């Protein structure tokens, strides 16, 4: 492989033009090479390796944090030290302690100190007009270097505060609080930089511990502050309207007035109103979480933090955009339209800030039914890496935290079914790609822990009902397993992904197709007999990720080709368009009776043309591994017809979150892989000429790349 490290000396990172920031940060992709200390613009810089290439000790990312101020944004190998600036400190202070014999409790604050300035933080909740602060806290040091101190503190915030005498009167096994959920978990993750700027991530989580977890009524989480408070709260304020008060020596911030979750059609049909929870209800649901991201300064530096991005060609060469080191092609029309839709429709403000609609037609007032699609934030980050869109990058992180906090049930460690009340879980919705990608951007350990626990739980849930007639899109969680292996080098997730993919292969029908999803009976059992192209594409997503890392693995490779052949055989003509219908058969028959209306439905049926750019990934793989260009040609005819109609407004449907996520992930990927432009020049594979014969302009290189002209 080409040595990429010399290119670092020619690289300049880019950031948004903003007011002077106290801290400059970046998550720099890293090639297969040993980590090296880097600085940004020659400033004092903290660098932290993150992740690991499979089978090596080499990191996947280097997290950089540089002192703000004048200077360039080029990468260098030398830096000016922080001199005699004091090293930051963090400690846990008990500020209140129970004095009842045999019933000890302690309430603590996290003291952050830089020189002679300090601030104390604590997490709590407001209920019944009172504030309850967290108890049983511990502070853990993750890193302590000359450039930064990284700590994490956690505790439990009591819901009902019960005195020892009351517990004594209730007995032991008869005590109603025995193995009964009665708190919110809370945590602070803080990076204290040598220049006095602190990055803080705070969160409340209604998880489970001694039982399966409970919904808590009349609860609003709060953050308490004592001391200097020079902070950038712009991201926290997005969750509002909140409330700020001063009580018992604390500045108390309630960032939102309650949990507010729009469900859409499901609660509207069942209860007559479209919301699952309203902020005025002050209910904190079982399994819910919400993260507060802010920064503060304990020095003369600004509390503002600016984030920088690497150039697109560096992401491509470091295999961030594809499973191979290629120079990326500029996003074409479809990717630009998809990114525009995402920017227009992401929820801006309120508890659901960062959520993305399921589609742009199911409106309820000024809001759309949320989709909770876990691949959307990953697709948004890919788009930002390719285009250098810093606003898009910030938006992608908001989407990732919304998915991780709201869409994941943190009591069940699975993802929720969109639009449904708590306890409705969904293997098909369990997609952790965005959460993992956000971890790579931030180093927030909660994101990684959540991704691991959700993927592991999903696999256990899947196997608990295996063998069964159909797997289908139940296998979507395998993409998260493949990504955990790809970026952390964890062999456990490679084995997990392969084991799950083999069950997908075992469920493939003799003709190459797949059922929809799920086990069980009744409504859930019927899905096994539905045949849709989309479901097969989702079923094989994890297998394709595995094949990207381990080419030619059997029987995964053969299963993908069988499904590709089924797709070619099932192509339909709709006027001047060629592609696929939404559903092709039911139980092997070309018609079925609609159980609601009683009408006979002739198959294939659906819209005049169904299209989803997961086709680009699977059919592109088939072309690249067989040399048969007809696979990609079939995708291209369907793709062009769909996006032509979307552009002219002739398409009689709407755009959805999963359509956007697929297009942003797989269409640029296909252009990159088929053209296969490398540092030593273009090396087209079979099928590239099909892309060049497109009816719309061929995308070109985004930026000039080192050593490459085209």
């Amino acid at each position: 492989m080409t040595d990429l490290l010399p290119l670092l000396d020619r690289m300049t990172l880019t950031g948004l033009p903003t007011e002077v920031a106290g801290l400059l940060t970046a998550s720099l992709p890293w090639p297969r090479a040993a980590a090296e200390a880097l600085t940004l613009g020659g400033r004092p810089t903290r660098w932290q390796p993150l992740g690991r290439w499979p089978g090596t000790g080499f990191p996947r990312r280097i997290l950089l944090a540089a002192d703000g101020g004048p200077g360039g944004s080029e990468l260098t190998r030398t830096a000016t030290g922080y001199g005699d600036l004091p090293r930051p400190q963090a400690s846990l202070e008990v500020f209140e302690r129970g004095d009842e014999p045999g019933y000890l409790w302690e309430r603590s604050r996290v003291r952050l100190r830089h020189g002679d300035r300090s601030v104390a933080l604590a997490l709590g909740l407001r209920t019944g007009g009172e504030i309850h602060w967290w108890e049983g806290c511990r502070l853990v040091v993750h890193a302590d270097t000359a450039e930064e101190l990284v700590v994490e503190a956690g505790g439990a915030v009591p819901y009902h505060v019960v005195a020892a005498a009351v517990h004594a009167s209730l007995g032991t096994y008869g005590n109603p609080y025995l193995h009964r959920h009665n708190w919110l978990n809370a945590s602070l993750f803080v990076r204290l930089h040598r220049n006095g700027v602190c990055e803080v991530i705070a969160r409340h989580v209604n998880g489970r511990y001694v039982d399966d977890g409970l919904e808590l009524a009349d609860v609003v989480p709060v953050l308490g502050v004592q001391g200097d408070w020079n902070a950038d709260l712009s991201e926290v304020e997005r969750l509002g309207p909140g409330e700020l008060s001063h009580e018992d020596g604390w500045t108390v911030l309630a960032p939102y007035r309650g949990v507010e979750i729009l469900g859409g059609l499901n609660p509207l049909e069942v209860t007559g109103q479209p919301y699952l929870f309203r902020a005025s209800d002050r209910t904190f649901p079982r399994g819910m979480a919400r993260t507060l991201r802010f920064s503060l300064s304990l020095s003369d530096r600004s509390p503002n933090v600016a984030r920088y991005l690497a150039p697109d060609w560096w992401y491509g060469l470091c295999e961030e955009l594809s499973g191979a080191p290629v120079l990326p092609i500029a996003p074409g029309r479809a990717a630009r339209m998809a990114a525009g839709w995402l920017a227009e429709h992401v929820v801006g403000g309120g508890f659901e800030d960062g959520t993305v609609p399921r589609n742009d037609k199911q409106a309820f007032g000024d809001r759309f039914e949320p989709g909770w699609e876990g691949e959307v934030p990953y697709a948004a980050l890919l788009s930002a890496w390719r285009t250098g869109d810093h606003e898009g990058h910030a938006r992608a992180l908001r989407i990732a935290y919304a998915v991780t906090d709201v869409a994941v049930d943190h009591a069940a460690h699975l993802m929720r079914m969109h639009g449904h009340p708590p306890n409705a879980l969904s293997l098909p919705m369990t997609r952790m790609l965005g959460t993992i990608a956000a971890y790579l951007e931030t180093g927030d350990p909660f994101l990684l822990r959540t991704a691991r626990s959700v993927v592991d739980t999903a696999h256990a849930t899947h196997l608990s009902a295996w063998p069964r007639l159909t797997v289908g899109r139940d296998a979507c969680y395998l993409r998260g397993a493949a990504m955990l292996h790809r970026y952390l080098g964890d062999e456990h997730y490679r084995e997990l992904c392969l084991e799950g993919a083999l069950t997908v292969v075992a469920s493939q029908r003799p003709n190459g197709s797949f059922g929809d999803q799920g086990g069980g009976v009744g409504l859930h059992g019927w899905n096994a007999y539905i045949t849709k192209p989309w479901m097969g594409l989702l079923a094989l997503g994890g297998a394709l990720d595995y094949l990207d890392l381990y080419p030619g693995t059997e029987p995964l490779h053969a299963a993908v080709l069988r499904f590709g052949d089924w797709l070619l055989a099932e192509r339909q003509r709709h006027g001047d368009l060629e592609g696929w219908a939404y559903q092709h058969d039911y139980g092997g028959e070309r018609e079925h009776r609609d159980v609601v209306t009683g009408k006979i439905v002739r198959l294939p049926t659906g819209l005049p043309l169904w299209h989803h750019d997961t086709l680009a990934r699977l059919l592109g793989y088939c072309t690249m591994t067989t040399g048969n260009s007809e696979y990609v040609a079939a995708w291209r005819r369907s793709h062009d017809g769909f996006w032509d109609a979307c552009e002219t407004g002739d398409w009689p449907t709407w755009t959805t979150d999963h359509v956007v996520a697929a297009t942003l992930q797989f269409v640029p990927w296909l252009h990159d892989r088929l053209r296969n432009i490398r540092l030593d020049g273009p090396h087209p594979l079979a099928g590239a000429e099909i892309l060049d014969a497109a009816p719309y302009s061929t995308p070109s290189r985004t930026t000039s790349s080192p050593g490459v002209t085209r």
Side-chain angles (χ1 to χ4, degrees):
M1 178 182 174
T2 304
D3 181 11
L4 301 179
L5 292 183
L7 298 178
L8 292 171
D9 298 325
R10 304 169 58 181
M11 186 187 301
T12 298
L13 306 187
T14 61
L16 279 178
T18 63
E19 60 182 287
V20 176
L23 194 72
L24 312 178
T25 65
S27 177
L28 183 69
W30 198 252
R32 285 186 175 88
E36 294 186 10
L38 296 172
T39 65
L40 185 58
R43 302 175 182 88
T45 304
R46 175 269 291 158
W47 64 281
Q48 175 196 345
L50 195 70
R52 181 166 59 88
W53 284 91
T56 77
F58 304 146
R60 286 301 306 249
R61 293 288 186 98
I62 302 290
L63 296 185
L64 301 174
D67 190 21
S73 57
E74 70 281 357
L75 292 174
T76 66
R77 311 298 175 101
T78 59
T80 302
Y82 274 110
D84 59 356
L85 284 180
R87 292 181 68 150
Q89 301 174 22
S91 59
L92 200 63
E93 302 174 349
V94 175
F95 67 86
E96 195 171 1
R97 192 172 191 268
D99 58 3
E100 298 176 274
Y103 186 55
L104 181 62
W105 52 262
E106 295 175 326
R107 295 166 187 159
S108 304
R109 58 193 167 216
V110 176
R111 175 73 61 183
L112 309 178
R113 190 180 302 278
H114 186 263
D116 59 358
R117 296 178 61 179
S118 74
V119 64
L121 305 176
L123 294 172
L125 62 82
R126 188 188 298 277
T127 184
E130 299 178 342
I131 294 178
H132 300 170
W133 298 111
W134 58 359
E135 300 177 357
C137 300
R138 177 171 292 280
L139 185 143
V140 178
V141 176
H142 288 291
D144 188 359
T145 70
E147 292 77 30
E148 71 171 359
L149 173 64
V150 183
V151 300
E152 186 176 16
V157 187
Y159 176 46
H160 291 143
V161 177
V162 184
V166 175
H167 275 301
S169 69
L170 295 173
T172 302
Y173 291 110
N175 190 321
Y177 290 98
L178 180 65
H179 281 272
R180 176 186 173 185
H181 187 68
N182 186 39
W183 59 83
L184 289 180
N185 287 323
S187 65
L188 285 167
F189 179 71
V190 188
R191 295 184 184 276
L192 301 90
H193 298 278
R194 185 72 177 272
N195 66 356
V197 178
C198 304
E199 299 176 273
V200 185
I201 300 176
R203 58 175 50 87
H204 295 80
V205 183
N206 190 5
R208 66 178 181 187
Y209 190 67
V210 297
D211 65 3
D212 201 41
L214 292 173
E215 176 182 290
L216 303 180
D218 186 26
V219 164
V220 176
V222 299
L223 168 70
V225 183
Q226 291 179 329
D228 295 325
W229 184 234
N230 179 19
D232 176 7
L233 296 172
S234 55
E235 287 298 320
V236 174
E237 290 169 350
R238 300 188 66 91
L239 303 178
E243 296 178 348
L244 190 67
S245 61
H246 301 278
E247 305 175 41
D248 298 327
W250 291 92
T251 297
V252 180
L253 172 64
Y256 42 87
R257 295 180 181 174
V259 173
E260 184 154 293
I261 303 291
L262 178 69
L265 294 177
N266 182 332
L268 183 64
E269 178 179 329
V270 175
T271 68
Q273 62 91 21
Y275 279 85
L276 297 170
F277 299 96
R278 299 305 300 258
S280 56
D281 297 336
R282 295 168 57 93
T283 297
F284 208 93
R286 167 193 175 277
M288 184 59 63
R290 210 52 172 121
T291 297
L292 313 177
R293 294 182 292 141
F294 60 96
S295 54
L296 57 90
S297 177
L298 297 174
S299 69
D300 59 356
R301 302 298 200 275
S302 165
N304 295 330
V305 177
R307 180 173 286 275
Y308 281 68
L309 295 176
D312 66 330
W313 54 265
W314 185 251
Y315 288 99
L317 293 177
C318 292
E319 303 179 36
E320 295 280 340
L321 308 179
S322 170
V326 296
L327 290 167
I329 301 299
R333 173 189 61 167
R336 294 194 300 270
M337 290 174 66
W341 184 92
L342 191 58
E344 180 182 353
H345 288 88
V346 64
V347 174
F351 184 84
E352 291 183 279
D353 178 72
T355 58
V356 175
R358 184 181 178 191
N359 57 60
D360 55 17
K361 285 294 185 289
Q362 289 172 243
F364 302 86
D366 61 348
R367 298 280 301 281
F368 297 101
E369 180 174 318
W372 299 345
E373 168 56 71
E375 293 189 25
V376 169
Y378 177 54
L381 282 169
L382 283 171
S383 178
W385 298 338
R386 286 181 176 277
T387 62
D389 180 359
H390 289 81
E391 292 181 352
H393 186 274
R395 184 166 51 245
L397 287 181
R398 287 169 45 215
I399 299 170
Y401 273 100
V403 165
T404 306
D405 290 345
V406 177
V408 172
D409 185 320
H410 295 271
H413 302 299
L414 286 171
M415 288 186 72
R416 308 175 193 273
M417 183 61 189
H418 54 75
H420 287 250
N423 301 343
L425 305 172
S426 173
L427 275 178
M429 294 301 298
T430 298
R431 309 178 193 189
M432 287 282 95
L433 281 75
T435 299
I436 299 166
Y439 164 73
L440 297 170
E441 293 292 304
T442 65
D444 181 355
F446 177 81
L447 297 173
L448 180 58
R449 293 169 191 158
T450 299
R452 283 171 163 161
S453 64
V454 168
V455 169
D456 285 332
T457 303
H459 190 55
T461 302
H462 164 59
L463 293 182
S464 71
W466 176 255
R468 62 181 183 274
L469 183 58
T470 294
V471 175
R473 62 176 169 174
D474 286 338
C476 284
Y477 74 91
L478 294 176
R479 297 207 65 206
M483 194 166 180
L484 285 169
H485 174 62
R486 175 183 173 189
Y487 280 101
L488 276 79
D490 192 328
E491 186 68 9
H492 163 71
Y493 290 105
R494 184 196 67 79
E495 294 174 355
L496 186 155
C497 184
L498 179 58
E499 182 180 30
L502 291 175
T503 68
V504 174
V505 173
S507 73
Q508 189 172 26
R509 295 168 178 156
N511 69 355
S513 69
F514 290 88
D516 191 320
Q517 68 181 67
V521 298
L523 287 172
H524 294 278
W526 295 339
N527 293 316
Y529 301 96
I530 297 172
T531 305
K532 301 174 186 174
W534 183 24
M535 299 302 101
L537 294 165
L538 295 181
L540 289 168
L544 285 165
D545 286 335
Y546 192 92
L547 289 165
D548 218 17
L549 297 171
Y550 300 99
T553 300
E554 294 290 3
L556 309 188
H557 172 71
V560 172
L561 294 184
R562 283 198 301 272
F563 186 67
D565 290 341
W566 180 85
L567 286 172
L568 292 186
E570 285 288 311
R571 283 174 292 180
Q572 306 290 316
R573 293 289 304 179
H574 299 280
D576 295 333
L577 304 177
E578 181 180 282
W580 294 268
Y582 180 67
Q583 182 175 341
H584 279 242
D585 68 55
Y586 183 81
E589 302 296 330
R590 294 294 189 178
E591 67 178 31
H592 77 97
R593 182 182 298 276
D594 188 298
V595 296
V596 177
T597 65
K599 295 181 179 179
I600 299 296
V601 179
R602 306 294 177 184
L603 300 171
T605 189
L607 306 170
L609 177 68
W610 170 89
H611 179 79
H612 203 272
D613 277 319
T614 42
L615 289 160
R617 209 274 183 94
L618 187 135
L619 293 175
Y621 174 89
C622 292
T623 284
M624 287 185 282
T625 55
T626 67
N628 181 356
S629 63
E630 183 59 22
Y631 294 105
V632 166
W635 160 76
R636 193 54 186 266
R637 286 189 286 272
S638 176
H639 171 90
D640 290 343
F642 175 82
W643 287 103
D644 284 346
C646 287
E647 190 169 46
T648 60
D650 295 333
W651 192 246
T653 184
W654 51 85
T655 303
T656 67
D657 55 353
H658 54 77
V659 164
V660 163
T663 297
L664 289 176
Q665 289 179 84
F666 303 129
V667 175
W669 171 88
L670 185 59
H671 280 277
D672 290 351
R673 292 299 289 269
L674 285 179
R675 289 196 170 86
N676 198 27
I677 302 176
R678 299 174 181 266
L679 281 176
D680 54 354
H683 298 283
L685 296 176
E689 70 280 358
I690 299 170
L691 299 177
D692 290 325
Y696 61 84
S697 60
T698 300
S700 60
R701 286 281 311 117
T702 306
T703 60
S704 59
S705 304
V708 174
T709 57
R710 185 171 187 270

